[in-house]
Amino acid sequence: MTMIEQRFACDAAPTEPRVDRFISRIFPKTEDLALGVICYTLIAVSITAAVGADLSTLSNVIIRSFQSFYFLVRLLAPGWFGVALAVGFLLLAPVRQRLWRNLPSVLFSIALCWIFFTLFSNVKNALPKIVPFWADPFLTRADLVLHLGHSPHDLLGFLAALHIGPLLQFYFNSWALFATFLPVLLIAFDGDGARRRVFIWLWMFCWVGLGNVLAVMFMSYGPIFADLFADGLTHAHAGALALTERSDGSGLLAIKMRLWHGYAGDDGTLGAGISAFPSVHVGMATVLGLYVARLAADFARQERIAMLWARVLVWGARVAAGLYIMTYVALSVWLGWHYAIDGYASVLVIGLAYLALCARIPRAAATAG
């Protein structure tokens, strides 16, 4: 090859986009998350403009979100600092070294996740201004058809013996950290490049695909808000509404009213707003379940694992993941936040998205992190 041909060959060779190259050099492993946040920022700005709001509103929301994030850090830091020290001593040296090596990327990904979640909250609150609520009667009938004329809430009546407080705490607390910061944990600890990329994109798809795209197509408020809308089917959802009147239902009522005030524009709380179909809670629980199953399957593929123990690990992880997802489907219905079909649709859509991402980013493309 002549010198001129070599020059043309170099010019023709595909190069990594400059933005991605810049990000990957300074904050390795964050390229996919950064790209998703940039794209979603453009979407959020467009939606903000479409509903007639001043674009300065979006910047104010982001500023307020960082202020609230800083407040939470100051509030929780003393306790979590001791936990972090204890965990640091207990973790194996390679894990500590990986975390320290990835520290700049971890800090950058925390900021990206918080911006992403702030944008999502802003878009979610704007959805009723784009499409009014219309799908609740349809979803109520669909639940009856799917369950042979029975209300899914009534079928879960055995949960009435349980205290609402612990159920509500599990429903939100076992989910919130992973739902908000799953990419941070992946960037910090997951050394499999393909697996990390699949679940970062699946995490973003869950928030945007379920929480924005499908939500605006099937605008619905859910059973627990039926008494606050003029056309609400209060008789059909009497069981869910009755939970807020129980002596142990004060926490459920408080969250309900906080979300209602966020929808009504009286409360700027981050994460406020109303949307039922599909269930992002169940969708994110499915993401976490799929990750646990994938992690176990990838670990079992290692040659040093005996065949019997590999099968036990894989099936144990699958059963645990399935139970976790089923628990969230059940609680989402029992506590009144969702129709049963909301959860079924979320599991189906996230499952199909996962298969599509696995086909796009196969295991063979894994790179050590």
Side-chain angles (χ1 to χ4, degrees), residues 29 84 87-88 91-107 184-185 187-189:
K29 307 178 185 178
V87 172
L91 288 176
L92 298 176
V95 178
R96 291 200 305 269
Q97 293 170 2
R98 180 187 299 275
L99 179 59
W100 182 255
R101 186 170 61 248
N102 295 330
L103 187 59
S105 298
V106 169
L107 296 177
V184 178
L185 300 175
I187 290 169
F189 298 112

Side-chain angles (χ1 to χ4, degrees), residues 194 301 361-367:
R301 293 174 65 209
I361 310 173
R363 280 184 171 92
T367 58

Side-chain angles (χ1 to χ4, degrees), residues 97 127 309-310 354:
Q97 293 170 2
L127 294 183
W309 290 112
Y354 173 68

Side-chain angles (χ1 to χ4, degrees), residues 33 40 113 116-121 123-124 127 175-183 199-215 271 275 278-281 283-284 287 350:
L33 181 60
Y40 193 48
C113 286
F116 185 92
F117 184 64
T118 302
L119 294 171
F120 172 81
S121 297
V123 172
K124 179 183 176 182
L127 294 183
W175 175 90
L177 175 65
F178 299 102
T180 309
F181 294 113
L182 178 61
F199 283 94
I200 286 177
W201 282 110
L202 192 62
W203 176 85
M204 289 189 286
F205 174 80
C206 182
W207 282 113
V208 180
L210 298 187
N212 289 163
V213 178
L214 285 179
S275 178
S279 172
V280 175
H281 268 84
M284 196 59 67
V287 173
I350 290 297

Side-chain angles (χ1 to χ4, degrees), residues 63 77 84 95 109 119 130 161 182 187-188 199 207-208 225 229 243 246 257 260 266 288 294 298 347 356:
I63 293 173
V95 178
S109 63
L119 294 171
I130 301 174
L182 178 61
I187 290 169
F199 283 94
W207 282 113
V208 180
F225 295 103
F229 286 87
L243 293 181
R246 285 177 33 167
M257 296 313 299
W260 171 257
D266 303 326
L288 298 177
R294 169 71 177 265
D298 288 348
V347 173

Side-chain angles (χ1 to χ4, degrees), residues 316-333:
R318 290 175 179 175
V319 170
L323 290 174
Y324 183 71
I325 296 169
M326 290 171 59
T327 299
Y328 260 91
V329 173
L331 288 181
S332 71
V333 174

Side-chain angles (χ1 to χ4, degrees), residues 17-309:
R18 289 185 178 181
V19 174
D20 285 0
R21 186 169 63 230
F22 171 77
I23 294 174
S24 64
R25 285 180 178 177
I26 301 180
F27 305 110
K29 307 178 185 178
T30 63
E31 303 94 325
D32 294 298
L33 181 60
L35 178 61
V37 172
I38 291 172
C39 293
Y40 193 48
T41 300
L42 298 177
I43 295 173
V45 169
S46 301
I47 292 176
T48 301
V51 298
D54 193 317
L55 293 182
S56 62
T57 302
L58 184 60
S59 61
N60 291 334
V61 168
I62 295 177
I63 293 173
R64 288 201 309 271
S65 73
F66 274 104
Q67 291 174 342
S68 62
F69 180 63
Y70 174 68
F71 171 77
L72 290 175
V73 169
R74 284 198 309 165
L75 182 66
L76 300 175
W80 281 107
F81 181 73
V83 174
L85 286 178
V87 172
F89 282 110
L90 292 175
L91 288 176
L92 298 176
V95 178
R96 291 200 305 269
Q97 293 170 2
R98 180 187 299 275
L99 179 59
W100 182 255
R101 186 170 61 248
N102 295 330
L103 187 59
S105 298
V106 169
L107 296 177
F108 183 53
S109 63
I110 290 174
L112 289 174
C113 286
W114 196 253
I115 292 173
F116 185 92
F117 184 64
T118 302
L119 294 171
F120 172 81
S121 297
N122 192 62
V123 172
K124 179 183 176 182
N125 288 334
L127 294 183
K129 300 176 183 178
I130 301 174
V131 177
F133 292 114
W134 67 270
D136 289 272
F138 166 75
L139 296 171
T140 301
R141 291 193 299 270
D143 265 5
L144 293 174
V145 171
L146 289 174
H147 299 88
L148 304 178
H150 297 283
S151 166
H153 192 274
D154 293 343
L155 295 176
L156 294 170
F158 62 91
L159 294 175
L162 301 178
H163 196 283
I164 294 177
L167 296 181
L168 194 64
Q169 290 177 5
F170 175 83
Y171 184 74
F172 286 105
N173 293 346
S174 73
W175 175 90
L177 175 65
F178 299 102
T180 309
F181 294 113
L182 178 61
V184 178
L185 300 175
L186 295 175
I187 290 169
F189 298 112
D190 196 330
D192 188 303
R195 185 172 60 227
R196 184 174 61 245
R197 292 192 66 205
V198 164
F199 283 94
I200 286 177
W201 282 110
L202 192 62
W203 176 85
M204 289 189 286
F205 174 80
C206 182
W207 282 113
V208 180
L210 298 187
N212 289 163
V213 178
L214 285 179
V216 79
M217 293 171 63
F218 296 88
M219 283 301 297
S220 51
Y221 43 78
I224 200 170
F225 295 103
D227 61 332
L228 298 177
F229 286 87
D231 59 347
L233 303 176
T234 55
H235 178 72
H237 304 300
L241 294 171
L243 293 181
T244 61
E245 300 176 0
R246 285 177 33 167
S247 59
D248 58 347
S250 58
L252 183 64
L253 178 60
I255 296 176
K256 169 185 174 179
M257 296 313 299
R258 191 199 73 175
L259 295 175
W260 171 257
H261 291 310
Y263 160 72
D266 303 326
D267 185 0
T269 302
L270 195 64
I274 296 176
S275 178
F277 183 94
S279 172
V280 175
H281 268 84
V282 174
M284 196 59 67
T286 305
V287 173
L288 298 177
L290 288 172
Y291 180 74
V292 169
R294 169 71 177 265
L295 191 65
D298 288 348
F299 185 77
R301 293 174 65 209
Q302 300 179 17
E303 295 181 357
R304 65 174 180 270
I305 306 297
M307 180 71 70
L308 175 61
W309 290 112

